[in-house]
Amino acid sequence: MNVRLLPILCLLLASCSSLPEIRTLPDAAGKTTCPSPFVVQKTRFVHAMEAAAAGETRTVMIGVTVADPASGTLACALMSPEGMVLFEASRNSSGMEISRALPPFDSSDFARGLLDDIGLIFFEPPEPVERLGVLDTGLTVCRRRLRDGGWLDVGKDRDGRVQIRRYSEGGRLKRSVTLAGGADPYAAIDLQASEWIGYSLSMTLIESEILPDEARSGK
């Protein structure tokens, strides 16, 4: 295929994308609720992580995440199985700070993308729900229009697993997150990213801990 045709082909494919249609049920307002698996307290998570990009071998790491919804602060670190810190960064209302980044994690684009993906998993979006209903697949979803463009669907399937889907403004699926069913949705997380080079991230919970709120404790 002529390489010069690739951008045109991708644009044509994107133009054919559309948001899945939501059917509003007559009793949706009274009986259907929006699933909310998101963090409500400052919490530290430790996950075993497997990352894979198209055509590449899976990379096994340990991921540590601290999510504080009250302040909007998100911090994450990636470590080798032997305990070497490969990457460490945080983000709050003041911006992003990279503390450590070894190759191949030494780019601001990687840090920004990883923090965006982690935020998608752990933080409830501030935008209000615009649509509540059911997809053709039977998945009950709540749809939000995102302030920075695009759409976000949060739903729960028949097995109790929460599904998070982020779409572009034109309806192209950009991120797909599946959280475990049961009492702890963060016990198992699967993220699929659709980019020029797609990648996946599988996370298995090792431990989690609710951390004290330093502002409230006066520290």
Side-chain angles (χ1 to χ4, degrees), residues 121 157 161-165 175-181 185-186 188-192 201 203:
I121 294 170
D157 63 24
R161 295 173 300 183
V162 174
Q163 311 282 343
I164 303 172
R165 303 286 187 266
R175 293 292 187 277
S176 174
V177 178
T178 301
L179 305 179
Y186 297 118
I189 304 169
D190 180 75
L191 181 143
Q192 303 288 330
L201 185 65
M203 305 167 62

Side-chain angles (χ1 to χ4, degrees), residues 47-51 59-65 75-81 83-89 100-102 104-106 110-111 114-115 118 201 203:
H47 284 90
M49 304 173 64
E50 290 188 359
T59 302
V60 179
M61 298 172 289
I62 302 296
V64 181
T65 303
C76 66
L78 300 178
M79 299 184 296
S80 70
M84 176 183 290
V85 178
L86 307 172
F87 173 86
E88 187 174 4
R100 183 177 176 84
L102 300 181
F105 310 113
D106 54 340
F110 171 83
L114 179 62
L115 288 168
I118 297 297
L201 185 65
M203 305 167 62

Side-chain angles (χ1 to χ4, degrees), residues 108-181:
S108 58
D109 287 342
F110 171 83
R112 189 175 298 106
L114 179 62
L115 288 168
D116 284 347
D117 287 344
I118 297 297
L120 177 67
I121 294 170
F122 291 104
F123 282 165
E124 182 173 14
E127 294 85 358
V129 174
E130 287 197 358
R131 293 287 305 276
L132 170 62
V134 180
L135 301 180
D136 290 339
T137 59
L139 185 73
T140 300
V141 298
C142 296
R143 178 167 292 168
R144 293 172 168 90
R145 178 75 177 266
L146 300 177
R147 287 180 297 189
D148 58 352
W151 306 83
L152 188 75
D153 284 1
V154 181
K156 182 177 288 187
D157 63 24
R158 294 184 177 92
D159 296 327
R161 295 173 300 183
V162 174
Q163 311 282 343
I164 303 172
R165 303 286 187 266
R166 177 161 187 167
Y167 298 90
S168 69
E169 190 70 22
R172 181 177 68 85
L173 181 61
K174 300 179 66 176
R175 293 292 187 277
S176 174
V177 178
T178 301
L179 305 179

